Amino acid sequence: MHTEEITENIPQTAAAFKRNLELRSGNIETLVEKLRAQSLLKVDIIVPSNNIRMDATGNIIVNGRHDDDEDNGALSSVLAELEMTTKGELSLLPFNTAHGAIAEKLGINLPYYNKMIKHPLLLKENVNYWMRDVNKNYLLRIFEDQSSNTGYLRTVLSDRFFTLDNWDVLMATLDAVKQSGAELNIDACDISEQKMYIRFTSPNIEVDAPTILKNYRLPDGTIPNNPKICAGFIISNSEIGCGKFMVSPRIMVLACRNGMIRKEDGWGKTHLGAKLEENQVIKFSEETKNKNIELVISQIKDAIKTFCSQDYLNKVVAEYEEKGSQPLAHPIQAVENMSKFYGMTETRTQSILDYFIKSGDSSRFGAVQAMTFYAHKDADADGQYELECASTEALDKMPTFDKAAKAK
């Protein structure tokens, strides 16, 4: 899966800075605190590719002059306003997502790009050649480390990317929840390098599911005393081009907090706007922000009405009971095939197998629950989201996973 493909390519100083801004399974108070801290560090600028280069250390340099020494006066003026600029240059240490974005924008194969990171002079020559050749404007999303006057490159985006920031999404979400009048609990909040996630549950919308939970045990052997599934939804948003704003239904098995996201039923907003002018620090107008916030509020209110209803939950659970109650003919192989299909490492596959065996539930639904238990117990924020999104598909594909191993 995507989260397993990323190589930790950034130095420890940048990794430590980034970790300080991230959040895993936090509450709403901590989420607010983290997002406020991030908002003070954000800088967005539109830069022509001719003014972007990589140095021998792998840093991205933004300079007011082209390689032919032609001065871009407008960009030089913008850079002069930034406190982290030295000698007319802006030096930025790229996060992993920024490395991936550079590779994608320049058409460089990502595995090859990652391989070149260990050969910085080769990487520099490749990036600089294609930056000169591409002749486009890019939106650079930056964090400023005010304590050390250092800049970190979060990503490189199209000049048509509209930034729907996490703070605005959070405020719109809380406003929508308040307007809906529904009783909702925040299950947990995450901020990763790529995305923000807010998971809600609806404690009044529950259904008994004895058919698919009758044999389920927690991995520690505990017999659940609450074999119910409750309704809810999840908000996801990326400020750096790793997916559009989404609101999707998410049901949760109360006994173990395993979640299943039905992304196919969700809806969202793509981060695409009008072309942005080059050589400027981007400040979106309040009018533009308010229009997008109103749309987010409307979508979330519709989501609450649709996904946090007894009818919707009954329909979903009935579907899961029909598809998931059958026992597996080849339980161990089914889990291994499922893990292989979703690109799991051997270590992760073994963890899921352990949870599956300890749960005592050898049904199709039990195999999926082992994966979703791993998702919230051991995976990172992006990994949890991806696995929970995959869960319904995994249940659909379980008959194809339930095959005996081929004889060698």
Side-chain angles (χ1 to χ4, degrees):
M1 298 188 72
H2 176 65
T3 51
E4 294 187 294
E5 294 173 355
I6 295 175
T7 303
E8 189 66 26
N9 293 317
I10 60 177
Q12 287 303 305
T13 51
F17 176 84
K18 180 169 65 70
R19 282 195 298 270
N20 192 47
L21 296 174
E22 294 178 345
L23 176 66
R24 184 70 175 115
S25 299
N27 56 33
I28 187 65
E29 291 80 13
T30 311
L31 178 65
V32 169
E33 178 184 328
K34 294 282 186 179
L35 293 183
R36 277 179 175 159
Q38 286 191 11
S39 66
L40 297 174
L41 307 176
K42 290 178 184 175
V43 178
D44 296 328
I45 58 175
I46 296 288
V47 180
S49 58
N50 285 336
N51 293 99
I52 302 172
R53 62 181 174 84
M54 179 176 281
D55 68 13
T57 68
N59 282 11
I60 291 296
I61 307 299
V62 181
N63 195 311
R65 292 185 177 277
H66 300 314
D67 285 346
D68 58 10
D69 210 34
E70 179 185 348
D71 184 47
N72 182 341
L75 180 58
S76 295
S77 178
V78 168
L79 295 177
E81 297 176 13
L82 303 177
E83 293 182 2
M84 51 189 158
T85 302
T86 58
K87 298 180 180 180
E89 290 186 344
L90 180 62
S91 179
L92 303 170
L93 204 162
F95 285 165
N96 284 326
T97 305
H99 279 299
I102 292 168
E104 187 269 328
K105 291 291 181 290
L106 300 182
I108 302 174
N109 179 270
L110 185 56
Y112 178 60
Y113 184 100
N114 281 333
K115 188 175 181 179
M116 286 193 293
I117 286 178
K118 297 179 181 179
H119 305 277
L121 292 179
L122 180 61
L123 179 61
K124 170 190 168 185
E125 291 302 318
N126 274 264
V127 169
N128 291 346
Y129 177 87
W130 294 114
M131 274 293 181
R132 289 191 298 268
D133 182 76
V134 75
N135 193 29
K136 291 183 178 180
N137 296 330
Y138 291 124
L139 169 61
L140 307 186
R141 302 219 77 184
I142 300 165
F143 276 144
E144 179 183 5
D145 184 352
Q146 296 167 342
S147 63
S148 61
N149 213 33
T150 304
Y152 297 100
L153 181 61
R154 304 174 67 197
T155 194
V156 178
L157 297 167
S158 160
D159 60 357
R160 292 182 62 87
F161 184 89
F162 178 80
T163 59
L164 184 57
D165 279 349
N166 291 335
W167 177 263
D168 294 328
V169 169
L170 172 62
M171 292 298 104
T173 299
L174 296 180
D175 196 359
V177 170
K178 182 179 179 181
Q179 290 182 33
S180 74
E183 182 178 348
L184 295 165
N185 295 331
I186 295 179
D187 176 52
C189 310
D190 294 319
I191 308 172
S192 71
E193 178 181 328
Q194 297 183 357
K195 288 186 176 183
M196 173 185 74
Y197 308 98
I198 312 174
R199 295 184 285 278
F200 287 86
T201 59
S202 181
N204 292 333
I205 309 299
E206 300 177 345
V207 63
D208 287 311
T211 303
I212 50 177
L213 294 177
K214 62 182 178 181
N215 296 320
Y216 185 75
R217 304 288 185 270
L218 296 178
D220 64 1
T222 303
I223 299 175
N225 58 9
N226 188 3
K228 292 185 177 182
I229 293 174
C230 81
F233 62 95
I234 182 169
I235 303 293
S236 64
N237 186 61
S238 177
E239 299 182 330
I240 56 173
C242 296
K244 61 185 179 181
F245 162 81
M246 283 290 298
V247 52
S248 306
R250 179 180 185 267
I251 71 162
M252 189 170 77
V253 179
L254 292 175
C256 53
R257 298 182 67 244
N258 293 351
M260 298 179 70
I261 298 171
R262 295 178 63 88
K263 195 174 180 180
E264 64 274 19
D265 289 349
W267 55 77
K269 172 178 172 54
T270 301
H271 295 246
L272 186 64
K275 188 180 175 91
L276 301 170
E277 295 297 323
E278 65 183 47
N279 304 322
Q280 63 168 317
V281 176
I282 303 301
K283 301 289 184 183
F284 290 101
S285 69
E286 289 302 313
E287 180 182 1
T288 301
K289 283 187 176 183
N290 288 338
K291 286 181 180 179
N292 284 278
I293 290 172
E294 288 171 6
L295 178 60
V296 170
I297 290 174
S298 174
Q299 289 181 329
I300 294 174
K301 287 168 66 177
D302 287 344
I304 294 171
K305 184 177 179 180
T306 303
F307 305 145
C308 297
S309 69
Q310 197 67 55
D311 287 345
Y312 180 83
L313 182 62
N314 289 345
K315 182 189 75 171
V316 170
V317 172
E319 175 190 324
Y320 289 164
E321 286 180 335
E322 180 182 354
K323 295 178 179 179
S325 58
Q326 299 92 330
L328 292 165
H330 309 281
I332 301 300
Q333 193 63 42
V335 173
E336 289 178 343
N337 289 337
M338 175 181 69
S339 298
K340 183 178 179 180
F341 180 83
Y342 290 109
M344 302 285 186
T345 63
E346 289 186 14
T347 301
R348 295 186 180 194
T349 298
Q350 189 58 53
S351 294
I352 293 171
L353 268 174
D354 289 344
Y355 291 142
F356 175 64
I357 293 168
K358 291 175 181 176
S359 75
D361 185 354
S362 59
S363 69
R364 294 174 179 177
F365 193 74
V368 173
Q369 290 305 294
M371 184 171 74
T372 54
F373 186 87
Y374 172 88
H376 76 80
K377 183 72 173 177
D378 299 325
D380 61 19
D382 298 317
Q384 178 179 354
Y385 181 73
E386 289 179 351
L387 289 173
E388 290 186 352
C389 284
S391 59
T392 297
E393 179 191 48
L395 190 59
D396 290 339
K397 289 182 176 295
M398 199 55 64
T400 65
F401 297 149
D402 190 16
K403 306 290 184 183
K406 294 181 180 179
K408 295 184 180 179

